[in-house]
């Protein structure tokens, strides 16, 4: 029998495209998103007791990476995109089954008269509209392993960029989006193999088109416009 997965919800986030999404959940705690259930699962009883947990697991689909073929090795961004590792030793979206796993902070459960229970979460690394297959509570006693080894990720320092936003541009960014946008930019949204200081990059975030450049460890925002 062929296995099937039901889409129970979709996430609503500030990322209309993949570019700029943090490479892991929890890296930018200021990010806010909402998990909206599909009509069949808009049942308040289905989330009874979930409000007592501070964090939840989201099991979801890399919907932009679904393909019929797969490769046993991939190139993790943490290694500069030049070194191949086994696909099962990475969190690459290019897998036999395009399934993602994210631990996010549960801020609030809103009970909407039409949409049913909506889960408001922080730190999500999902593109807007991403299908969600399942939701599970995070259990500190079982899921937290402080002495765990991080494999090749322990060998690469995680450095953030210094973000410079000129005052005239800062005034164009909604105040409620500023901290999250700054946090996302500090994670260096560029492909790991691009280091041209003259290049201007564009990123869509929270209804804005953000232009920026990176010189060394300094990212400078060059312009912000409302998305069309």
């Amino acid at each position: 029998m062929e296995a099937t997965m039901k889409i129970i919800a979709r996430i609503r986030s500030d990322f209309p495209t993949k570019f700029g999404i943090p490479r892991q959940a929890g890296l930018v705690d200021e990010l806010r998103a909402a998990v909206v259930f599909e009509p069949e699962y808009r049942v308040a009883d289905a989330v009874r007791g979930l409000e007592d947990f501070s964090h939840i697991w989201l099991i979801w689909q890399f919907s932009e990476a679904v393909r019929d073929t797969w490769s046993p090795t991939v190139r993790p961004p943490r290694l500069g995109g030049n070194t191949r590792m086994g696909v099962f030793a990475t969190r690459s979206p290019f897998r036999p089954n395009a399934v993602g796993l994210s631990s996010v902070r549960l801020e609030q459960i809103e009970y909407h008269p039409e949409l049913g229970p909506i889960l408001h979460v922080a730190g999500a690394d999902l593109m807007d509209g991403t299908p969600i297959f399942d939701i599970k509570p995070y259990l500190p006693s079982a899921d937290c392993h402080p002495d765990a080894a991080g494999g090749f990720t322990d060998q690469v320092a995680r450095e953030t960029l210094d973000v410079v936003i000129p005052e005239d541009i800062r005034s164009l960014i909604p105040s409620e989006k500023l901290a999250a946008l700054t946090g996302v930019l500090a994670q260096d949204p560029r492909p790991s193999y691009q280091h041209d200081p003259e290049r201007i990059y564009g990123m869509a975030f929270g209804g804005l088109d953000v232009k920026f450049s990176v010189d060394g460890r300094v990212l400078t925002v060059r312009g912000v416009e409302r998305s069309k």
Side-chain angles (χ1 to χ4, degrees):
M1 180 184 297
E2 184 177 351
T4 59
M5 297 280 277
K6 295 181 179 179
I7 298 173
I8 66 165
R10 294 182 184 272
I11 200 157
R12 297 303 170 195
S13 76
D14 283 323
F15 296 102
T17 67
K18 295 184 296 181
F19 187 80
I21 297 177
R23 294 184 174 95
Q24 301 293 338
L27 293 179
V28 184
D29 187 66
E30 295 85 357
L31 284 173
R32 299 295 183 267
V35 176
V36 180
F37 287 94
E38 295 290 277
E40 181 181 354
Y41 303 99
R42 293 173 182 173
V43 181
D45 280 346
V47 297
R48 184 191 303 172
L50 192 63
E51 69 277 2
D52 295 328
F53 294 88
S54 65
H55 292 72
I56 57 176
W57 289 105
L58 301 179
I59 301 169
W60 48 278
Q61 182 186 53
F62 287 104
S63 52
E64 297 293 299
V66 176
R67 55 179 64 182
D68 294 328
T69 60
W70 73 287
S71 170
T73 61
V74 294
R75 298 176 178 178
R78 285 293 298 277
L79 297 178
N82 298 315
T83 302
R84 285 194 170 273
M85 300 293 290
V87 64
F88 299 128
T90 76
R91 296 191 176 187
S92 168
F94 304 110
R95 330 180 61 78
N97 293 300
V99 175
L101 178 69
S102 296
S103 174
V104 298
R105 181 160 54 86
L106 178 61
E107 293 201 307
Q108 176 194 2
I109 301 178
E110 173 191 358
Y111 292 91
H112 191 277
E114 296 180 1
L115 301 178
I118 298 174
L119 309 184
H120 293 272
V121 300
D125 57 338
L126 285 73
M127 187 175 72
D128 186 58
T130 292
I132 295 175
F133 293 138
D134 203 1
I135 297 164
K136 298 179 185 291
Y138 177 95
L139 305 179
S141 59
D143 296 339
C144 181
H145 303 280
D147 58 344
F152 67 85
T153 66
D154 286 343
Q155 305 166 19
V156 183
R158 183 181 295 280
E159 297 181 351
T160 57
L161 301 179
D162 294 325
V163 178
V164 176
I165 306 178
E167 285 301 325
D168 59 327
I169 296 177
R170 183 182 295 265
S171 64
L172 302 175
I173 303 171
S175 58
E176 69 274 14
K177 302 290 184 183
L178 181 59
L181 175 59
T182 302
V184 169
L185 294 174
Q187 295 296 322
D188 195 351
R190 299 174 301 168
S192 55
Y193 54 84
Q194 292 183 356
H195 302 283
D196 181 2
E198 301 299 322
R199 180 165 183 166
I200 302 296
Y201 299 88
M203 184 184 79
F205 177 82
L208 303 173
D209 288 326
V210 182
K211 305 295 185 184
F212 65 91
S213 62
V214 181
D215 189 354
R217 305 306 305 172
V218 178
L219 182 150
T220 303
V221 176
R222 303 296 181 182
V224 169
E225 295 181 356
R226 290 284 182 182
S227 299
K228 297 179 180 179

